[in-house]
Amino acid sequence: MHTEQHHATGRWMATSIFKRRPETVACARSWATDVYVAAGGLLPDVCELLVSEAATNAVLHGGGSEYRVSVRYDLAIEVWDASPVEPKRRHANNEAISGRGLELLEALAPGYTVTPEQGGKSVCFELKGG
């Protein structure tokens, strides 16, 4: 993990890089939630859920061998992976065990963005109310 501080604005961002393997999702979720709460975030459960969803998508559908999770000064959370393919919303039935990630983002972090960048894409979200 490293923390960057932009001298012109005094703003910071903490970033950690994880191997693109299923067992790292729990580490990414825990790390991001710890940083978010330490920075004053008020919705740790929502943070855990959405980081888990975004990191799982990076592991399952991202390219390359790593993905990156960042918590910004404004408490926005960003998950980057090396695939340029934007996530697509699926309609999961009640029995499905996956396919609800974008639906959760829309409900709990309205205004989330997916941005192409540096050989991949980032999913960035701010937690509603926190």
Side-chain angles (χ1 to χ4, degrees):
M1 178 198 71
H2 73 277
T3 301
E4 300 173 4
Q5 184 166 0
H6 301 275
H7 298 290
T9 63
R11 297 179 176 171
W12 57 270
M13 178 166 58
T15 300
S16 193
I17 297 171
F18 300 91
K19 296 289 183 195
R20 203 175 132 244
R21 295 193 304 247
E23 62 269 19
T24 66
V25 171
C27 295
R29 175 179 59 233
S30 177
W31 174 85
T33 302
D34 288 349
V35 173
Y36 169 80
V37 168
L42 301 175
L43 300 170
D45 295 340
V46 176
C47 179
E48 284 183 342
L49 175 63
L50 295 182
V51 170
S52 187
E53 290 293 330
T56 297
N57 283 345
V59 167
L60 294 177
H61 307 293
S65 61
E66 299 174 328
Y67 64 99
R68 180 179 70 228
V69 180
S70 300
V71 179
R72 298 189 330 208
Y73 70 94
D74 59 358
L75 300 180
I77 299 164
E78 184 176 290
V79 178
W80 175 92
D81 68 60
S83 171
V85 178
E86 287 196 29
K88 292 183 177 43
R89 187 169 185 192
R90 299 184 331 191
H91 296 285
N93 64 34
N94 290 339
E95 291 80 35
I97 59 171
S98 66
R100 293 180 184 82
L102 292 182
E103 186 177 336
L104 288 168
L105 276 169
E106 289 170 2
L108 300 172
Y112 77 93
T113 59
V114 179
T115 307
E117 67 169 64
Q118 284 186 331
K121 69 177 169 309
S122 66
V123 176
C124 185
F125 53 90
E126 294 181 50
L127 306 182
K128 185 170 152 182

